[in-house]
Amino acid sequence: MFIEIEDLKPEPLHFHHIYPIGEIKFSHEDAALSAPVAIDFVLSHKDRNLHVDGTVETALHCKCSRCTKDFSRLIKTGFDLSYLPQPKWSSGDAEIELKYEDMEVAFYDGVALDIDLMALEQIELSIPMKFVCREDCKGLCYKCGADLNDGACLCKNEETDSRLSVLLEFKKKIDK
Ligand SMILES: [Zn+2]
Ligand SMILES: [Zn+2]
């Protein structure tokens, strides 16, 4: 879906759209979209310089990187971006880069704004490097593969026992 800059009126445009599942081509090793993607924004513009302020909402079905269990997570991300026509690269390149360094700026072709791409980029920016089902997920035992969230496995007991016996040995020495 595109917004043609030619068609824009002088006053800000309020845009709202819900993409059915499958329309936004999000692909990730450990996650998939599990809900429609709702995008909502206000677009204002000065000539072909655009300003977009809005939100993207959806849900992800993901796999925990520690315990490998599947879980769902709601995504709601806000964005506030300037879109400028892609500069024509010339001798003034460095100047252009410096000028936009501190701003949240993206470039577009100056003709039409790709809303699907914008929604996809916002989802990608909002997700973490690794998915964890909950902050304190204990993960799987590296020896037997048991889910440590369900309680300690036997390997863990052995470790605890051996540590305990070291302590007991130590205590014996002190007591002498
Ligand atoms: Zn987990
Ligand atoms: Zn174990």
Side-chain angles (χ1 to χ4, degrees):
M1 187 177 299
F2 290 89
I3 291 179
E4 301 285 339
I5 309 311
E6 290 277 320
D7 301 341
L8 286 176
K9 308 231 166 27
E11 53 278 0
L13 168 76
H14 196 156
F15 186 92
H16 178 75
H17 184 70
I18 296 175
Y19 292 96
I21 294 179
E23 238 181 69
I24 297 290
K25 302 294 175 206
F26 173 80
S27 76
H28 190 285
E29 222 172 273
D30 297 318
L33 292 177
S34 60
V37 175
I39 187 164
D40 197 305
F41 62 82
V42 174
L43 188 161
S44 48
H45 72 114
K46 192 168 179 289
D47 299 327
R48 290 182 189 269
N49 295 351
L50 315 178
H51 181 248
V52 188
D53 187 354
T55 57
V56 172
E57 265 186 275
T58 186
L60 288 179
H61 191 73
C62 11
K63 190 187 276 292
C64 177
S65 62
R66 291 188 201 153
C67 71
T68 72
K69 243 180 225 146
D70 291 336
F71 65 100
S72 288
R73 176 145 301 166
L74 290 175
I75 299 276
K76 180 167 185 172
T77 179
F79 58 97
D80 187 351
L81 275 174
S82 290
Y83 276 91
L84 305 180
Q86 185 74 54
K88 291 184 180 59
W89 304 114
S90 65
S91 54
D93 285 0
E95 223 172 290
I96 290 168
E97 277 170 34
L98 276 178
K99 200 168 138 203
Y100 300 133
E101 206 173 34
D102 313 330
M103 296 162 60
E104 284 257 45
V105 167
F107 293 103
Y108 78 113
D109 63 9
V111 178
L113 187 62
D114 186 340
I115 308 303
D116 304 13
L117 183 64
M118 188 164 79
L120 177 63
E121 282 174 352
Q122 292 308 318
I123 295 167
E124 285 174 344
L125 285 171
S126 72
I127 62 172
M129 291 278 284
K130 278 183 185 290
F131 294 100
V132 182
C133 64
R134 53 176 218 241
E135 271 313 310
D136 62 347
C137 173
K138 295 187 178 76
L140 303 179
C141 170
Y142 67 95
K143 277 188 194 161
C144 71
D147 187 342
L148 299 177
N149 296 308
D150 298 337
C153 61
L154 292 172
C155 328
K156 183 102 182 202
N157 288 340
E158 278 168 27
E159 272 173 37
T160 314
D161 287 350
S162 63
R163 253 180 284 156
L164 191 64
S165 60
V166 171
L167 273 180
L168 288 175
E169 285 297 314
F170 186 64
K171 193 169 182 299
K172 264 188 231 162
K173 279 179 197 161
I174 290 176
D175 287 347
K176 267 180 200 165

